[in-house]
Amino acid sequence: MSFRFQLLLILSLFSHTSFSQTVYPKITGYFGILHPIVTISEDQTAVNFRDYYAVGFPTGINIWKNEKIGFSFEVVPNIKDDQGTDKVTNLLFHPGILVALGNGFTFAGRAAFESSGRYGFTPVISKTIIKSANCSYFAAIPLPVRFGNDHPASFTAGFQFGIAF
């Protein structure tokens, strides 16, 4: 073997192990806690923590096609405590598209199908707050818009935080 060939072989071995790259498609999972803050419709403005207490538990899988775009599927059971009575009020199926915006920000454009009979869409902006080798912590602002089931259209602003792995 020539010296040049040996040198190239050694360099390629070391460069491969020292510069790891993310392999796509990349699959991640996550779990979060969602607090709707305010819901506005033509009939009323309802404020969480004042009029009732509602909480959701978004759980999902993200499949990143490349570093910029991906698909996400999320399921969100919602619990509501209203005047001392609590129950699961809704199960939300939430598929959508993911777009990495840079600097830890991601946009999720989601379709929404609720077991309560409502449907709509949810734009979400999320930000990775802490990233480690095994997981990352994030905060998000979901802005659900809902229609159907003989209720007026509604808009909600919420706050979500969670862990992705």
Side-chain angles (χ1 to χ4, degrees):
M1 268 197 255
S2 73
F3 176 74
R4 181 190 287 179
F5 180 75
Q6 290 175 356
L7 182 62
L8 286 173
L9 180 63
I10 291 170
L11 286 175
S12 67
L13 289 174
F14 283 113
S15 66
H16 179 66
T17 57
S18 63
F19 299 106
S20 65
Q21 295 179 350
T22 302
V23 177
Y24 292 96
K26 177 183 172 187
I27 299 174
T28 59
Y30 63 93
F31 176 77
I33 297 173
L34 164 68
H35 291 287
I37 304 301
V38 62
T39 300
I40 301 166
S41 72
E42 68 180 28
D43 290 348
Q44 66 178 348
T45 298
V47 179
N48 197 10
F49 304 104
R50 182 188 75 186
D51 301 333
Y52 54 84
Y53 176 66
V55 62
F57 299 97
T59 305
I61 294 176
N62 296 334
I63 303 170
W64 287 94
K65 180 178 184 217
N66 57 46
E67 64 184 25
K68 293 286 188 186
I69 192 114
F71 172 78
S72 179
F73 182 76
E74 180 177 84
V75 177
V76 186
N78 291 286
I79 298 172
K80 186 174 184 179
D81 183 335
D82 195 1
Q83 300 175 356
T85 303
D86 56 274
K87 61 182 176 179
V88 174
T89 57
N90 195 32
L91 184 62
L92 169 63
F93 297 95
H94 226 193
I97 192 91
L98 301 170
V99 179
L101 302 174
N103 296 323
F105 285 95
T106 302
F107 170 78
R110 298 184 178 281
F113 307 97
E114 298 184 357
S115 62
S116 67
R118 309 255 309 151
Y119 60 91
F121 60 93
T122 308
V124 181
I125 295 289
S126 68
K127 167 80 169 125
T128 300
I129 306 298
I130 299 171
K131 189 169 187 165
S132 71
N134 297 322
C135 65
S136 58
Y137 299 91
F138 65 91
I141 298 174
L143 303 168
V145 177
R146 299 292 185 267
F147 310 97
N149 202 17
D150 293 326
H151 293 286
S154 64
F155 169 78
T156 302
F159 178 75
Q160 176 181 339
F161 58 93
I163 183 170
F165 45 91

